[in-house]
Amino acid sequence: NILRRALPLFDEIIIAIGKNSSKQNYFSLEQREKWIRQVFSDEPTVRTESYSGLTIEFCKKVNANYILRGLRTSADFEFEKSIAQINRRLTEIDTLFLLTSADHSYISSGIVREIMIHNGDYTSLVPKAVKK
Protein backbone atom coordinates (compact mmCIF):
# COMPACT_ATOMS: atom_id res chain seq x y z
CA ASN A 1 0.00 0.00 0.00
CA ILE A 2 2.79 2.43 0.92
CA LEU A 3 4.77 1.63 -2.22
CA ARG A 4 1.83 1.84 -4.59
CA ARG A 5 0.91 5.24 -3.14
CA ALA A 6 4.53 6.41 -3.44
CA LEU A 7 4.95 5.47 -7.11
CA PRO A 8 3.97 8.92 -8.43
CA LEU A 9 6.51 10.58 -6.12
CA PHE A 10 9.66 8.91 -7.49
CA ASP A 11 11.22 8.05 -10.85
CA GLU A 12 12.28 4.69 -9.42
CA ILE A 13 11.72 2.84 -6.16
CA ILE A 14 14.21 0.27 -4.92
CA ILE A 15 12.81 -2.15 -2.38
CA ALA A 16 15.95 -2.78 -0.35
CA ILE A 17 15.96 -5.89 1.81
CA GLY A 18 18.61 -5.61 4.47
CA LYS A 19 20.29 -8.62 6.04
CA ASN A 20 19.78 -7.93 9.74
CA SER A 21 22.28 -9.93 11.81
CA SER A 22 20.17 -9.58 14.97
CA LYS A 23 16.97 -10.87 13.39
CA GLN A 24 15.91 -14.43 12.66
CA ASN A 25 13.70 -14.37 9.56
CA TYR A 26 10.90 -16.88 9.07
CA PHE A 27 11.39 -16.89 5.28
CA SER A 28 14.68 -16.88 3.39
CA LEU A 29 15.94 -13.74 1.73
CA GLU A 30 15.50 -15.41 -1.65
CA GLN A 31 11.85 -16.26 -0.93
CA ARG A 32 11.07 -12.73 0.25
CA GLU A 33 12.72 -11.25 -2.85
CA LYS A 34 10.75 -13.60 -5.08
CA TRP A 35 7.45 -12.58 -3.50
CA ILE A 36 8.23 -8.88 -3.73
CA ARG A 37 9.17 -9.21 -7.41
CA GLN A 38 5.90 -11.04 -8.07
CA VAL A 39 3.83 -8.44 -6.23
CA PHE A 40 5.41 -5.58 -8.20
CA SER A 41 5.91 -7.35 -11.54
CA ASP A 42 3.43 -4.90 -13.08
CA GLU A 43 5.48 -1.86 -12.01
CA PRO A 44 8.52 -1.16 -14.25
CA THR A 45 9.82 1.56 -11.91
CA VAL A 46 10.12 -0.81 -8.94
CA ARG A 47 13.12 -3.06 -8.41
CA THR A 48 14.29 -5.23 -5.54
CA GLU A 49 17.80 -5.55 -4.14
CA SER A 50 19.28 -7.06 -1.02
CA TYR A 51 22.20 -5.69 0.94
CA SER A 52 24.16 -6.10 4.14
CA GLY A 53 25.56 -3.34 6.29
CA LEU A 54 24.15 0.10 6.90
CA THR A 55 21.12 1.21 4.93
CA ILE A 56 22.66 4.62 4.27
CA GLU A 57 25.72 2.94 2.72
CA PHE A 58 23.41 0.99 0.41
CA CYS A 59 21.61 4.24 -0.46
CA LYS A 60 24.90 5.90 -1.37
CA LYS A 61 25.88 2.90 -3.51
CA VAL A 62 22.67 3.09 -5.57
CA ASN A 63 22.54 6.93 -5.55
CA ALA A 64 19.27 7.05 -3.61
CA ASN A 65 18.29 10.45 -2.28
CA TYR A 66 15.49 9.31 0.01
CA ILE A 67 14.44 6.47 2.26
CA LEU A 68 10.72 5.77 2.27
CA ARG A 69 9.21 4.30 5.43
CA GLY A 70 5.66 3.42 6.37
CA LEU A 71 4.25 4.23 9.78
CA ARG A 72 1.45 2.31 11.50
CA THR A 73 1.58 3.71 15.03
CA SER A 74 3.09 6.49 17.09
CA ALA A 75 5.59 3.93 18.42
CA ASP A 76 6.71 3.30 14.83
CA PHE A 77 7.18 7.05 14.42
CA GLU A 78 9.32 7.43 17.54
CA PHE A 79 11.55 4.52 16.51
CA GLU A 80 11.85 5.61 12.87
CA LYS A 81 12.38 9.27 13.76
CA SER A 82 15.59 8.48 15.65
CA ILE A 83 16.99 6.45 12.78
CA ALA A 84 16.00 9.12 10.25
CA GLN A 85 17.69 11.86 12.27
CA ILE A 86 20.91 9.85 12.58
CA ASN A 87 20.87 9.00 8.87
CA ARG A 88 20.39 12.67 8.00
CA ARG A 89 23.23 13.70 10.30
CA LEU A 90 25.59 11.14 8.73
CA THR A 91 24.54 11.77 5.11
CA GLU A 92 22.37 14.04 3.01
CA ILE A 93 19.73 11.32 2.72
CA ASP A 94 16.27 12.29 3.93
CA THR A 95 13.64 9.87 5.16
CA LEU A 96 10.06 10.33 4.00
CA PHE A 97 7.21 8.85 6.00
CA LEU A 98 3.81 7.78 4.73
CA LEU A 99 1.07 6.70 7.07
CA THR A 100 -0.27 3.22 6.47
CA SER A 101 -3.87 3.27 5.33
CA ALA A 102 -6.37 2.48 8.09
CA ASP A 103 -7.33 -0.86 6.57
CA HIS A 104 -3.70 -2.05 6.85
CA SER A 105 -2.56 -0.36 10.06
CA TYR A 106 -3.21 -3.35 12.33
CA ILE A 107 -1.18 -5.78 10.20
CA SER A 108 2.37 -6.62 11.27
CA SER A 109 4.77 -9.28 10.04
CA GLY A 110 4.94 -10.75 13.54
CA ILE A 111 1.19 -11.24 13.75
CA VAL A 112 0.99 -12.72 10.25
CA ARG A 113 3.91 -15.03 11.00
CA GLU A 114 2.17 -16.33 14.15
CA ILE A 115 -1.01 -17.01 12.21
CA MET A 116 1.00 -18.88 9.56
CA ILE A 117 2.94 -20.93 12.12
CA HIS A 118 -0.30 -22.07 13.72
CA ASN A 119 -1.97 -22.83 10.36
CA GLY A 120 -4.49 -20.01 10.64
CA ASP A 121 -6.06 -18.27 7.66
CA TYR A 122 -3.67 -15.44 6.82
CA THR A 123 -4.73 -15.04 3.17
CA SER A 124 -6.59 -11.75 3.63
CA LEU A 125 -3.51 -10.21 5.29
CA VAL A 126 -0.91 -10.75 2.54
CA PRO A 127 -0.63 -10.16 -1.22
CA LYS A 128 -1.75 -12.99 -3.51
CA ALA A 129 1.88 -13.89 -4.34
CA VAL A 130 2.57 -14.78 -0.69
CA LYS A 131 -0.28 -17.24 -0.35
CA LYS A 132 1.04 -20.81 -0.16
Side-chain angles (χ1 to χ4, degrees), residues 68-123:
L68 175 65
R69 301 292 293 176
L71 299 174
R72 292 174 297 154
T73 66
S74 58
D76 285 353
F77 173 73
E78 289 303 323
F79 176 76
E80 294 290 346
K81 179 180 78 164
S82 298
I83 295 169
Q85 288 172 328
I86 290 171
N87 287 345
R88 180 70 180 146
R89 183 178 180 122
L90 297 175
T91 68
E92 292 298 309
I93 298 169
D94 273 315
T95 302
L96 302 177
F97 299 109
L98 286 180
L99 297 177
T100 304
S101 62
D103 55 332
H104 292 99
S105 64
Y106 61 91
I107 300 171
S108 74
S109 61
I111 291 170
V112 173
R113 190 172 33 252
E114 281 297 308
I115 294 169
M116 293 174 104
I117 289 169
H118 297 289
N119 298 316
D121 183 6
Y122 61 90
T123 55

Side-chain angles (χ1 to χ4, degrees), residues 10-24:
F10 301 98
D11 296 329
E12 177 183 49
I13 294 178
I14 301 169
I15 301 172
I17 306 171
K19 297 173 190 164
N20 188 334
S21 58
S22 64
K23 205 174 194 182
Q24 180 64 34

Side-chain angles (χ1 to χ4, degrees), residues 1-15 36 39-47 68 96 98:
N1 175 267
I2 296 288
L3 249 79
R4 296 231 183 251
R5 289 176 25 227
L7 286 171
L9 303 175
F10 301 98
D11 296 329
E12 177 183 49
I13 294 178
I14 301 169
I15 301 172
I36 292 168
V39 169
F40 293 100
S41 64
D42 62 328
E43 296 295 345
T45 61
V46 174
R47 67 182 166 116
L68 175 65
L96 302 177
L98 286 180

